[in-house]
Amino acid sequence: MLSDELKKQIQLAYRASLDAKSHKPRAGQRQMIGAIARTLGNIKQGSEGERLEEKHVAVIEAGTGTGKTLSYCLAAIPIAKARGLKLIISTATVALQEQILHKELPDLLEHTDLTFKYTLAKGRGRYLCLNNLEGFLSSEEQAMDDMFAGLFEQHLHSDDVNTVLYQEMDAALQKGDWDGDKDNWAGIVRDQDWRRLTTDHQQCTNRNCANYSACPFFKARAEIEVADVIVANHDLVLADLSLGGGAILTPPKETIYVFDEGHHLPDKAIGHFRHEVRLQQSIAWLRQLEKNLVNLKQELTDDVSLTGQLLLKIPQQIQSIVNFIQYAQQGLAPYIQGLGLDQENNQHRFEFGQIPDELRQLAYSLQTSYQKLFNNIESIQDECKKTKQNEGMGVTPETAETWQPILGVILGRLEQCIGLWRLYSTVDDQNFPPNARWLVLSGQGMEQDIELGGSPILAANTLRQQLWDKCFGAVVTSATLTALNQFHRFNMRSGVPRESEYLRVISPFNFQESGLLVVPDMENEPNRVEQHTAEIVTYLDKHVNTEKGSLVLFSSRRQMEEVAQSVSAGLQEILLMQGEQSKRVILDSHKSRIDEGKGSLLLGLASFAEGVDLPGDYLTCVYIAKIPFAVPDDPVEATLAEWIQKRGGNPFMEITIPDASLRLVQATGRLLRSEKDSGEIHILDKRLRTKRYGSQLINSLPPYKYLP
């Protein structure tokens, strides 16, 4: 049970936080604090501190303006500290991460009696690898670069190496002006320049690295050990869980998680288990790998060492894999021809994820063969690691230092291949949703290749096994967790325990007074694309106020560009379109125009429909071109729809409409960002007026004043 002492601590901190900002208590905020405190505070622990029951997850939809960040911090931090657990706050966007780090947590420390240490956790990819930097500044790097040309996907030629930038970074590190964190570098860094300087868990040599004590990543990792609150992102949490948990962050059983922007979690999880492999490209890569490993064999001091014996086996293993891939190519060629695939129609999805038996048998052989190759290369890498303790045989310390990170890159590539072939060799359990499987014909002529892809259609089972079953406790929150006013969509995709606590906290905004929803009587439905586009142009020319801030959201880039070219000259003068510059530059330009008393018209796609915060005069009118239905050709969503239909369900009503409802709530949510905001929303899709589902979608929106 939640102790009286903890209750008092949370209540006092809440009052102090409100007093410091001269705020009044909000009913929704108190509801949220109470629900989280009950869920986390009532978890029973065993003698070893382990969780003893299942009701350990709270799922809370908190409308815009609730103050959800303060709510979960106030409730979760004291409970985590009292139980000796870490609190990981995970977000989907950098903007929210920065708000928590630079505003919410410092404010709590300043204005309340809560005491805690906090830090930011990032993946290795955000930190400089000192070994890589030293390598690119050394004279030996060019020879190494040529030796491994073709082995790495992101191979760069010598004239692409930004030596000047690397020298500046090295100087900044030496002076103590920079800590090796990409986000703290003052200048602009191109992705291709940064990729060369980073590493991953396969390439990193950890304590065996000569630069371990000065490593930016491990310095940051040390802060995690002493922090009470760790701010991370969903990708990093999922990456840690996929490694078993506790590899990057703290072990799940010792952790309370808060997933803010939690509606992103299921899709992020699916992305972590999606695999794609090109067959001919794999053969070319394996041939290149064989040549490179010959170079390693030539550097051995003892051919009869373990490393030497393993290297002897590898050419045969590679040839075996190549043979199996070629069998797959030969078997798929007539199959693809029968499908009639070409450059325009280049994708085929296997119904219910079921592939031909011959391909599944080959996939099993490929998975097994790739695993053997992986094991051998991993053993060679282990020998390289041992040389620092003078235990490795047949490899000099210099050779080991050069080859260990290279072998790590190779292992990472092999892991992806194993993942794909394992997914293709598996017979799906009929008690669970199937995996989606598909093939894509890419290129033409001599460059033609077959790409095989696969992915779970739902992350529910994976998240249940790796997260919900293992963690001590969790809170999932967002302004959009329900669809059509129900949690069903999120439950199906996330796999949260049925015993979870559910709460919907209504936004404190007065939608009736502040927001006007307009659904004009358009003549054309969006499927008549040219006519609908022309009608949008006419509507915008008539209704957009050229002295105000407006946003038009599209589901199609082509339609957005055609509208941009066709609107009146007056609108073109104030128009800013997504893609012309970076998102940040466009939004800054929009704000600058409004600050100067001018008008501005933003045109954007899906990424502008979520996470864009333009309060007050920055945005007074939102136009939505059409109901944001999902693209129908995604193989994962198509297989999910097929599975639901097979079970007697209606995919359109169970997937398409709830998904559209969620996106529509997010899109309309761009308008009111504070209690003082007001404005209009225009949805230029007549189906909201004429189709049966139209009223469902409108009823799932906040209660704006509705003008049909």
Side-chain angles (χ1 to χ4, degrees):
M1 293 290 291
L2 186 65
S3 69
D4 290 339
E5 184 180 347
L6 271 176
K7 286 180 185 177
K8 185 177 180 181
Q9 189 179 11
I10 293 169
Q11 289 167 352
L12 289 175
Y14 183 43
R15 288 176 195 154
S17 177
L18 293 176
D19 290 345
K21 299 175 183 178
S22 300
H23 288 173
K24 295 180 179 179
R26 299 176 182 176
Q29 200 167 49
R30 290 196 299 204
Q31 276 184 290
M32 186 170 177
I33 293 171
I36 295 171
R38 280 195 309 275
T39 301
L40 301 180
N42 292 339
I43 297 173
K44 295 177 182 177
Q45 289 178 278
S47 57
E48 301 296 321
E50 74 278 14
R51 172 172 54 80
L52 294 178
E53 58 182 35
E54 289 302 309
K55 195 170 183 180
H56 61 295
V57 179
V59 180
I60 302 173
E61 180 177 84
T64 306
T66 301
K68 64 180 184 301
T69 309
L70 177 63
S71 299
Y72 61 65
C73 286
L74 281 170
I77 291 174
I79 292 173
K81 280 201 71 177
R83 290 179 176 263
L85 302 165
K86 297 282 188 182
L87 176 65
I88 293 179
I89 301 174
S90 178
T91 76
T93 62
V94 173
L96 180 55
Q97 215 174 45
E98 290 178 345
Q99 177 188 326
I100 294 168
L101 276 169
H102 304 308
K103 184 176 183 298
E104 303 290 351
L105 294 178
D107 280 359
L108 277 178
L109 285 174
E110 181 180 355
H111 301 308
T112 73
D113 290 334
L114 298 180
T115 58
F116 56 91
K117 295 180 180 178
Y118 65 92
T119 190
L120 173 65
K122 304 179 187 179
R124 282 182 173 86
R126 307 303 297 178
Y127 294 97
L128 172 89
C129 171
L130 294 173
N131 274 7
N132 286 352
L133 179 64
E134 290 176 359
F136 292 127
L137 293 176
S138 73
S139 58
E140 298 176 6
E141 178 54 35
Q142 179 54 48
M144 292 298 298
D145 198 51
D146 291 341
M147 184 188 301
F148 298 106
L151 187 60
F152 305 139
E153 290 183 23
Q154 301 296 342
H155 174 68
L156 298 175
H157 298 291
S158 57
D159 56 357
D160 293 325
V161 178
N162 196 338
T163 307
V164 173
L165 173 65
Y166 297 162
Q167 288 171 340
E168 290 176 356
M169 288 180 166
D170 185 52
L173 286 166
Q174 299 293 336
K175 293 178 183 178
D177 294 337
W178 184 47
D179 59 0
D181 182 337
K182 181 186 179 184
D183 298 319
N184 294 335
W185 180 252
I188 297 172
V189 184
R190 298 183 306 170
D191 287 344
Q192 58 263 43
D193 292 330
W194 184 253
R195 275 196 299 266
R196 298 202 103 188
L197 298 179
T198 61
T199 188
D200 59 26
H201 77 281
Q202 286 287 9
Q203 299 175 62
C204 180
T205 58
N206 297 315
R207 295 182 182 275
N208 292 322
C209 176
N211 288 308
Y212 175 78
S213 60
C215 174
F217 171 73
F218 282 104
K219 280 186 173 180
R221 177 78 189 276
E223 293 183 17
I224 292 176
E225 301 298 327
V226 298
D228 302 299
V229 180
I230 302 162
V231 181
N233 61 44
H234 298 345
D235 285 318
L236 184 62
V237 172
L238 290 164
D240 183 57
L241 293 172
S242 68
L243 294 171
I248 306 169
L249 302 168
T250 52
K253 66 179 182 180
E254 301 169 11
T255 305
I256 292 173
Y257 296 91
V258 173
F259 294 101
D260 203 339
E261 301 173 314
H263 62 282
H264 285 288
L265 190 62
D267 289 338
K268 292 276 188 183
I270 286 178
H272 274 262
F273 297 96
R274 180 176 178 135
H275 302 286
E276 289 157 318
V277 167
R278 291 190 177 185
L279 301 186
Q280 192 58 40
Q281 187 184 76
S282 295
I283 291 175
W285 184 81
L286 287 162
R287 294 298 189 202
Q288 183 65 45
L289 172 61
E290 186 175 2
K291 291 178 183 178
N292 289 122
L293 293 179
V294 168
N295 294 327
L296 173 57
K297 194 170 188 304
Q298 292 172 348
E299 295 183 36
L300 297 182
T301 59
D302 184 357
D303 285 348
V304 298
S305 66
L306 175 59
T307 302
Q309 294 300 307
L310 291 169
L311 285 170
L312 280 174
K313 299 178 182 178
I314 286 176
Q316 184 178 350
Q317 291 176 333
I318 288 177
Q319 186 57 51
S320 175
I321 294 172
V322 169
N323 289 342
F324 284 129
I325 293 175
Q326 288 174 337
Y327 293 151
Q329 288 175 314
Q330 292 165 11
L332 285 169
Y335 183 82
I336 291 171
Q337 191 172 6
L339 294 171
L341 297 186
D342 53 34
Q343 288 297 302
E344 293 296 319
N345 176 33
N346 68 339
Q347 180 176 284
H348 170 70
R349 181 182 60 82
F350 296 102
E351 289 188 5
F352 299 105
Q354 294 174 357
I355 60 175
D357 287 340
E358 297 83 357
L359 181 56
R360 188 172 65 252
Q361 290 165 10
L362 276 171
Y364 178 77
S365 299
L366 278 160
Q367 177 202 335
T368 305
S369 300
Y370 265 111
Q371 189 64 58
K372 288 178 180 177
L373 179 60
F374 179 94
N375 293 343
N376 279 348
I377 292 179
E378 189 175 45
S379 295
I380 294 171
Q381 189 189 48
D382 289 341
E383 288 299 300
C384 290
K385 291 177 182 178
K386 291 177 183 176
T387 56
K388 192 166 184 181
Q389 285 79 36
N390 298 316
E391 296 174 3
M393 301 296 291
V395 184
T396 65
E398 294 76 19
T399 299
E401 188 172 358
T402 299
W403 277 89
Q404 191 176 336
I406 294 162
L407 293 172
V409 174
I410 294 166
L411 290 172
R413 177 72 176 261
L414 293 175
E415 273 185 329
Q416 286 296 315
C417 295
I418 291 168
L420 184 280
W421 294 117
R422 180 185 294 119
L423 195 148
Y424 265 64
S425 64
T426 302
V427 178
D428 294 333
D429 188 333
Q430 296 301 306
N431 295 317
F432 293 98
N435 290 292
R437 298 177 180 88
W438 64 91
L439 65 81
V440 178
L441 200 62
S442 64
Q444 53 187 329
M446 297 297 292
E447 299 296 319
Q448 193 172 82
D449 204 346
I450 300 168
E451 179 179 278
L452 295 178
S455 169
I457 60 172
L458 292 174
N461 194 43
T462 300
L463 286 172
R464 188 182 301 114
Q465 292 175 349
Q466 298 197 15
L467 175 58
W468 313 125
D469 287 353
K470 290 184 177 180
C471 72
F472 184 88
V475 176
V476 185
T477 186
S478 168
T480 48
L481 283 179
T482 62
L484 300 176
N485 300 311
Q486 296 180 332
F487 284 102
H488 174 73
R489 178 189 182 277
F490 181 75
N491 289 352
M492 179 180 72
R493 293 176 180 266
S494 69
V496 291
R498 292 180 181 177
E499 302 82 4
S500 300
E501 169 120 3
Y502 292 91
L503 175 67
R504 291 190 73 190
V505 179
I506 306 302
S507 169
F509 295 172
N510 189 337
F511 292 98
Q512 275 283 325
E513 294 293 329
S514 302
L516 175 65
L517 175 62
V518 180
V519 182
D521 188 13
M522 307 287 282
E523 291 185 11
N524 299 283
E525 287 193 4
N527 59 358
R528 301 186 68 194
V529 180
E530 290 184 13
Q531 294 88 339
H532 183 244
T533 300
E535 203 171 352
I536 290 174
V537 170
T538 302
Y539 193 89
L540 294 178
D541 284 342
K542 180 179 179 181
H543 289 88
V544 172
N545 187 330
T546 56
E547 297 180 355
K548 300 285 187 178
S550 302
L551 168 66
V552 189
L553 294 170
F554 295 89
S555 299
S556 159
R557 178 175 292 277
R558 182 175 178 180
Q559 187 177 57
M560 177 179 73
E561 292 172 347
E562 288 180 358
V563 168
Q565 293 170 5
S566 305
V567 292
S568 65
L571 291 188
Q572 289 189 3
E573 285 182 10
I574 63 169
L575 190 147
L576 293 166
M577 185 170 68
Q578 182 179 355
E580 292 181 335
Q581 292 175 298
S582 72
K583 185 176 180 180
R584 177 175 290 183
V585 169
I586 288 174
L587 292 176
D588 286 346
S589 299
H590 173 83
K591 291 178 180 178
S592 296
R593 288 181 179 180
I594 302 300
D595 289 339
E596 293 168 6
K598 302 175 182 177
S600 182
L601 176 62
L602 284 170
L603 270 59
L605 299 166
S607 62
F608 273 63
E610 183 181 1
V612 170
D613 193 23
L614 296 170
D617 291 338
Y618 290 132
L619 187 59
T620 58
C621 198
V622 175
Y623 299 88
I624 300 171
K626 64 179 181 179
I627 299 168
F629 287 124
V631 179
D633 60 355
D634 178 73
V636 177
E637 291 296 317
T639 306
L640 175 60
E642 196 173 51
W643 174 70
I644 287 174
Q645 191 167 23
K646 183 181 179 181
R647 295 167 65 239
N650 182 333
F652 186 74
M653 297 308 297
E654 292 185 40
I655 301 176
T656 307
I657 294 299
D659 285 2
S661 167
L662 189 73
R663 294 189 184 100
L664 207 55
V665 171
Q666 290 166 347
T668 60
R670 295 315 94 214
L671 180 67
L672 305 181
R673 307 304 299 166
S674 74
E675 294 182 60
K676 297 178 182 179
D677 291 354
S678 63
E680 299 179 2
I681 299 163
H682 298 243
I683 306 178
L684 311 182
D685 192 332
K686 68 180 297 182
R687 292 173 295 183
L688 287 172
R689 300 167 61 104
T690 61
K691 300 295 185 182
R692 188 173 61 178
Y693 58 76
S695 59
Q696 288 182 278
L697 292 173
I698 289 174
N699 291 338
S700 70
L701 296 175
Y704 303 107
K705 183 179 180 181
Y706 177 40
L707 183 62

